[in-house]
Amino acid sequence: MKPEITEVHLIVPHKDIYYVSWIIDAAEGIGFLQTDDAKTGRVTVFTPTDQVDYVADMVKGLRDEGLDIKFYDEKNGEKI
């Protein structure tokens, strides 16, 4: 049975996109990152639905490190 995949949209500083991508790659099973617009820092993390809380924890940890990373509501175009 294939896991259901959820999209998590983020805004990441351009200079940190690669860093965030490496963290996701290193955390086996969390998913993968797609850069949607490098200039604005818009990225999408494709993750199994049961890993969404882990992605949220990762974002919190990156914020705690001082990274200016935000969730982005793709439908409304709002930063969260």
Side-chain angles (χ1 to χ4, degrees), residues 31-63:
F32 68 94
L33 181 139
Q34 169 185 294
T35 302
D36 300 318
D37 185 347
K39 282 186 176 183
T40 62
R42 288 182 53 226
V43 300
T44 301
V45 177
F46 295 92
T47 187
T49 301
D50 63 351
Q51 296 293 323
V52 170
D53 289 341
Y54 186 75
V55 172
D57 288 343
M58 178 201 68
V59 169
K60 181 187 179 312
L62 291 169
R63 285 178 178 165

Side-chain angles (χ1 to χ4, degrees), residues 3-75:
E4 190 172 321
I5 300 296
T6 299
E7 296 178 10
V8 178
H9 302 280
L10 302 170
I11 304 257
V12 178
H14 173 78
K15 67 179 180 57
D16 295 317
I17 292 173
Y18 197 63
Y19 174 64
V20 174
S21 178
W22 271 85
I23 290 172
I24 291 169
D25 283 346
E28 229 170 279
I30 192 174
F32 68 94
L33 181 139
Q34 169 185 294
T35 302
D36 300 318
D37 185 347
K39 282 186 176 183
T40 62
R42 288 182 53 226
V43 300
T44 301
V45 177
F46 295 92
T47 187
T49 301
D50 63 351
Q51 296 293 323
V52 170
D53 289 341
Y54 186 75
V55 172
D57 288 343
M58 178 201 68
V59 169
K60 181 187 179 312
L62 291 169
R63 285 178 178 165
D64 290 347
E65 285 182 18
L67 202 74
D68 184 23
I69 185 170
K70 297 174 181 67
F71 288 97
Y72 180 77
D73 184 342
E74 185 72 13
K75 292 178 184 174

